Amino acid sequence: MKQLFNWKLEDVIKVLIGSFLFCFAINIFIVPNNLYTGGVLGLAQLIRSITVDLFNIETNFDFSGILYYLMNIPLFYIAYKYISKQFFVKTIFAVTIQTIMLSIIPTKLIIDDIIVNVIIGGMLGGIGIGMILSCGSSTGGTDIIGLALAKKNNHLSVGKLGLIVNIIIYIIAGIMYGKETMIYSIIYSAVDSLMIDKMHEQNICSTAFIFCKKNPKIINDFIKNELNRDFTYWDAKGGYDDSKTYIIYTALTKYELIKLERFMKNFDDHSFMIKSEGVGIKGEFEKKFE
């Protein structure tokens, strides 16, 4: 179990805070305006609305969170088989916390302006999901499918897949509950997806050039053994004083790049790094989400 979780306390706290932000955004800014979040949760909300309307149910309890958990059960298998066992365990933990929070946080409107609700809800929800994803976990639903597909295709991301699925759900919501519901829900989804991809560091492809005077073996070993990435390096000459210089080039995710930057601070005060974030990488480059 210790190997499965392999979680620092700060990551557990980030998942708890991220889950709260996500659920708070849904229950305070989205649900009270009769809007839909999209994804599996949005589908659960649609089923809830249809059930309440069809059977004329009057209840203060929003059971869409429970439906959401039940619908995630088959997706947990995808997380286990195609991503990792650690991700599978952490996702079950995160989805359980979110289900509880969705059930206990009251659905209460605090701002009258619907567009303000949509933007704030999208930002908070996207930040929350991004925090959860950056800890090697997810909010379940399309996050699991998006991560599995992103491992195979560098052009796909959780936010992009979520936006595509959400549009389909919003069209159905628009047909059933009006075009305003559809339009405002789409705006929420666009803001939410943008924030997810900005926050999700493992999804951002990056490259780094490292220039150092010391033997590069220590850096090379760190990239190979700690980050599990390949690299290219060569000998060079400094143009200022003709001194011997080593150049290392590697492709990483932003999450791994941050780890490399921390390592370099303790390696050599005279070395420096040129980095690029959000680059396009074609070919066999695996995005690691464990």
Side-chain angles (χ1 to χ4, degrees), residues 259-270:
K259 286 185 175 181
L260 180 60
E261 287 178 316
R262 290 173 183 166
F263 172 79
M264 289 301 301
K265 287 180 181 178
N266 300 320
F267 172 70
D268 182 5
D269 293 336
H270 299 289

Side-chain angles (χ1 to χ4, degrees), residues 104-290:
I104 64 176
I105 295 176
T107 54
K108 182 179 180 181
L109 189 65
I110 60 175
I111 300 175
D112 292 332
D113 193 323
I114 189 170
I115 193 66
V116 173
N117 279 277
V118 166
I119 293 175
I120 294 177
M123 291 179 65
L124 289 179
I127 290 172
I129 295 174
M131 290 176 66
I132 295 168
L133 290 171
S134 67
C135 297
S137 183
S138 83
T139 58
T142 52
D143 289 357
I144 296 175
I145 301 172
L147 288 171
L149 292 176
K151 285 172 68 70
K152 302 295 182 182
N153 190 325
N154 291 322
H155 298 289
L156 290 175
S157 69
V158 176
K160 290 177 182 177
L161 177 68
L163 187 59
I164 294 170
V165 173
N166 293 350
I167 288 174
I168 297 172
I169 292 175
Y170 294 152
I171 290 173
I172 298 172
I175 294 172
M176 299 187 65
Y177 299 106
K179 61 182 180 181
E180 286 191 0
T181 297
M182 177 182 69
I183 291 171
Y184 286 121
S185 295
I186 289 175
I187 295 173
Y188 158 78
S189 178
V191 176
D192 182 72
S193 299
L194 179 63
M195 293 305 298
I196 290 172
D197 284 345
K198 290 294 183 182
M199 291 290 296
H200 187 201
E201 295 168 342
Q202 290 104 324
N203 191 58
I204 302 172
C205 296
S206 307
T207 57
F209 271 108
I210 300 170
F211 297 81
C212 64
K213 300 293 185 180
K214 292 183 178 181
N215 191 316
K217 186 178 185 308
I218 298 175
I219 303 175
N220 294 345
D221 288 344
F222 179 82
I223 295 173
K224 181 170 65 174
N225 299 325
E226 298 297 326
L227 303 181
N228 196 26
R229 290 294 186 185
D230 200 357
F231 55 87
T232 300
Y233 75 98
W234 56 93
D235 297 340
K237 253 188 182 179
Y240 184 76
D241 56 4
D242 286 335
S243 61
K244 191 168 186 178
T245 302
Y246 302 95
I247 303 174
I248 305 165
Y249 181 73
T250 184
L252 310 160
T253 63
K254 183 178 178 180
Y255 180 73
E256 294 162 339
L257 180 61
I258 293 172
K259 286 185 175 181
L260 180 60
E261 287 178 316
R262 290 173 183 166
F263 172 79
M264 289 301 301
K265 287 180 181 178
N266 300 320
F267 172 70
D268 182 5
D269 293 336
H270 299 289
S271 62
F272 65 94
M273 178 191 302
I274 300 174
K275 61 182 182 178
S276 298
E277 299 176 5
V279 299
I281 299 178
K282 295 183 178 180
E284 295 297 323
F285 177 78
E286 181 185 6
K287 294 177 180 177
K288 302 185 182 77
F289 303 112
E290 294 83 355

